[in-house]
Amino acid sequence: MSEGESKQTHFGYKTVDADKKADLVADVFHSVAAKYDIMNDVMSFGVHRFWKRFTIETAAARPGMKVLDLAGGTGDLTAKFSRLVGSKGSVTLADINDSMLKVGRDKLRDKGIIGNVSYVQANAESLPFPDNHFDIITIAFGLRNVTDKDAALRSMQRVLKPGGKLLILEFSKPKHNLMQKVYDLYSFKVIPQMGKLITNDADSYEYLAESIRMHPDQDTLKNMMIDAGLEQVDYTNLTDGVVALHRGYKF
């Protein structure tokens, strides 16, 4: 890259300047924030609740722990963690997008979840937390929207306590060709139309489908986590690999 030339990255299938991606992603989530929960239920036929429940079970949070729910959006995981860690623990709901953070804060407060939850607007690539701070970090359906995923993984590893656990729940690559074909048809033909009907925004959901295809597959992400300093990294495929839960530890 010559001097003065901007670094490039992907925004869905488009190539954009890396320093512009965060703003483009922000526009998507500003647009969909108000009906994000409804669309999740409709798009996944409610299966996203199973994926998130499996993540909570795998996290094995205990009373007194400190949890970071990164790219936590509307707070589904935060609500569960808040009850598990109790009054002596804490949960930080962090998201780069202020619209999503506001929706999450309002939803959790409406549920009476106040005491042990804090809200931070933060970029995953440079987390504003001390070293060795959290027992558990989760990032659910957020990593694919990060511009520099390697930097984000290093940042997460830094703020984990020794013995801490990182869980990444993200769309991935189906294991079987038939599932891949059905998934592609559904993602590119059906989901944007749902987005148009429910949020009056087909373009944002077309981007979300494209961003899934550009995200690293299971083994690539596993190696990226290892390169970031995490250990005992493995993953579990869910729904034939449409989604995968990666986990790694800091020692």
Side-chain angles (χ1 to χ4, degrees):
M1 186 171 65
S2 61
E3 186 177 353
E5 186 178 346
S6 297
K7 184 178 179 182
Q8 302 287 291
T9 190
H10 294 286
F11 176 72
Y13 287 163
K14 299 175 183 174
T15 299
V16 299
D17 291 344
D19 59 2
K20 294 179 180 177
K21 179 173 177 176
D23 288 338
L24 292 169
V25 172
D27 289 342
V28 169
F29 284 94
H30 285 314
S31 175
V32 305
K35 295 187 177 179
Y36 185 78
D37 287 336
I38 295 170
M39 277 297 292
N40 278 349
D41 277 328
V42 171
M43 287 189 303
S44 72
F45 303 101
V47 178
H48 77 100
R49 297 176 183 272
F50 159 74
W51 298 331
K52 291 173 181 175
R53 186 165 63 246
F54 182 76
T55 302
I56 293 290
E57 291 170 355
T58 303
R62 301 188 303 276
M65 282 187 164
K66 290 182 179 179
V67 178
L68 172 61
D69 181 13
L70 185 57
T74 57
D76 286 350
L77 295 182
T78 292
K80 301 289 188 183
F81 281 130
S82 174
R83 297 184 181 98
L84 290 170
V85 303
S87 60
K88 294 184 179 179
S90 66
V91 185
T92 302
L93 171 55
D95 202 293
I96 195 172
N97 186 276
D98 60 336
S99 295
M100 294 291 287
L101 204 59
K102 184 178 185 301
V103 170
R105 183 178 63 242
D106 291 348
K107 186 172 82 170
L108 294 178
R109 288 178 176 174
D110 286 346
K111 290 182 176 181
I113 299 171
I114 300 172
N116 62 355
V117 176
S118 59
Y119 303 88
V120 177
Q121 187 172 357
N123 186 332
E125 297 173 24
S126 53
L127 293 170
F129 307 111
D131 295 356
N132 308 316
H133 189 68
F134 294 103
D135 297 286
I136 297 168
I137 298 175
T138 57
I139 178 166
F141 306 116
L143 185 62
R144 73 180 187 278
N145 296 309
V146 175
T147 304
D148 189 338
K149 296 174 181 59
D150 291 309
L153 290 169
R154 291 192 299 270
S155 188
M156 290 179 233
Q157 193 270 354
R158 178 185 65 79
V159 302
L160 266 181
K161 290 181 180 178
K165 181 189 303 182
L166 169 64
L167 298 171
I168 302 173
L169 181 67
E170 188 56 89
F171 291 105
S172 201
K173 184 174 177 58
K175 293 164 58 180
H176 297 98
N177 287 335
L178 179 59
M179 175 62 88
Q180 183 70 63
K181 290 176 181 177
V182 171
Y183 183 44
D184 284 346
L185 179 66
Y186 181 68
S187 297
F188 291 104
K189 300 298 184 183
V190 179
I191 286 178
Q193 290 306 307
M194 288 181 179
K196 184 176 181 180
L197 287 170
I198 295 172
T199 69
N200 196 31
D201 184 355
D203 290 345
S204 289
Y205 285 93
E206 184 174 338
Y207 156 73
L208 291 173
E210 292 175 357
S211 71
I212 290 167
R213 299 314 186 280
M214 300 305 294
H215 186 68
D217 65 17
Q218 288 92 324
D219 287 319
T220 302
L221 179 55
K222 176 181 177 179
N223 289 326
M224 289 168 66
M225 292 173 70
I226 293 169
D227 289 344
L230 294 152
E231 300 182 38
Q232 294 184 7
V233 179
D234 63 0
Y235 61 84
T236 300
N237 283 316
L238 304 171
T239 316
D240 195 59
V242 168
V243 164
L245 178 65
H246 284 70
R247 51 196 166 258
Y249 299 82
K250 178 177 177 177
F251 293 110

